[in-house]
Amino acid sequence: QGQNENFFEKQFFISHSVDTLNYRLMKPSNLDKTKKYPLVLFLHGAGERGNDNAKQLTNGVLNFASSFNRTMYPCYVMVPQCATGYKWVDVDWKLPSSIQPEKPSVYLERTIFLLDSLVNKLDIDTNRIYITGISMGGFGVWDAMSRWPWKFAAAVPVCGGGDTAKAAFIKDIPVWAFHGDIDKVVMTSRSRDMITSIKKAGGFPKYTEYLNTGHNSWTETYSNPEMFEWLFSQSKENRKK
């Protein structure tokens, strides 16, 4: 895993002349300028906050840089870092439910500005922009999807939760959610409730619940070849049919 870190270049983004956002960016292997590539936005968990532009690579995301995945699924992976004391979504993770705040959090908004700037700059296939994240980042995935549903081709929220009232906005986005059944940090019901609400709204989300698993449902998720195969097979073009 250590060497995989080297694939993620250190970058920082300045939006609105003063707002900075540290992020790491992995580019596709053997980049071909005549092609467009998918982009994966990865939102880290609460323990990886800071300003070192390094900790956000701790859990899960380095699997995108395995030699198998880089060969099979050449893509951009963008990994922003949320500063200490801030969240991707300003809600309490411990509660059984939450209402989406009116505005996106400071760091989620900067992340979306960064995403838009990379789309303008790099050879990105806008039909294949994916979002995934763990714990605090899982909350960020649900929040971002319901605020900007048109941006994402698929989403993989891991041990997160969202506002069930927003299910209608995200029912057409392919979602595969993961959670441990004995999670003591984020209630398992947070993922279950989102999935149930999307189904009620007419969507067809996938859901995997790991047995005898606590908060760490990410290790298994990001080492699952099926998840990668599913994720990279999604395209907004397929949804239009």
Side-chain angles (χ1 to χ4, degrees), residues 125 127-128 130 153-154 174 231-240:
D125 179 352
N127 281 315
R128 297 178 69 206
Y130 309 124
L231 183 65
F232 286 99
S233 70
Q234 306 302 325
S235 168
K236 282 198 291 195
E237 285 179 312
N238 306 344
R239 291 219 300 266
K240 291 168 193 156

Side-chain angles (χ1 to χ4, degrees), residues 75-235:
C75 65
Y76 288 96
V77 183
M78 158 189 158
V79 198
Q81 186 176 36
C82 183
T84 309
Y86 290 85
K87 298 177 177 182
W88 297 121
V89 197
D90 297 317
V91 294
D92 187 339
W93 313 309
K94 299 242 185 311
L95 297 179
S97 66
S98 55
I99 293 168
Q100 185 177 61
E102 195 182 329
K103 292 189 172 132
S105 74
V106 173
Y107 277 87
L108 188 63
E109 189 170 54
R110 285 181 200 175
T111 295
I112 296 299
F113 285 141
L114 166 61
L115 175 64
D116 291 343
S117 92
L118 292 182
V119 166
N120 288 332
K121 253 188 345 204
L122 302 172
D123 35 345
I124 288 165
D125 179 352
T126 52
N127 281 315
R128 297 178 69 206
I129 293 174
Y130 309 124
I131 184 168
T132 185
I134 62 174
S135 192
M136 176 180 94
F139 280 84
V141 170
W142 288 115
D143 190 75
M145 263 200 286
S146 49
R147 290 184 197 276
W148 303 282
W150 61 90
K151 287 189 188 288
F152 302 109
V156 178
V158 181
C159 58
D163 182 346
T164 53
K166 302 292 178 189
F169 293 106
I170 57 181
K171 68 177 173 62
D172 296 326
I173 303 175
V175 169
W176 190 353
F178 294 84
H179 217 116
D181 67 339
I182 49 172
D183 192 328
K184 298 282 189 285
V185 180
V186 177
M187 295 177 193
T188 312
S189 60
R190 295 305 307 263
S191 285
R192 288 179 192 158
D193 291 350
M194 289 306 296
I195 295 298
T196 304
S197 303
I198 294 170
K199 284 179 176 169
K200 276 187 189 152
F204 299 93
K206 286 162 67 80
Y207 177 53
T208 298
E209 194 170 292
Y210 299 117
L211 295 178
N212 305 316
T213 300
H215 192 46
N216 179 359
S217 42
W218 51 83
T219 299
E220 198 162 342
T221 300
Y222 295 106
S223 50
N224 179 359
E226 273 179 53
M227 187 280 289
F228 284 90
E229 192 182 339
W230 176 87
L231 183 65
F232 286 99
S233 70
Q234 306 302 325
S235 168

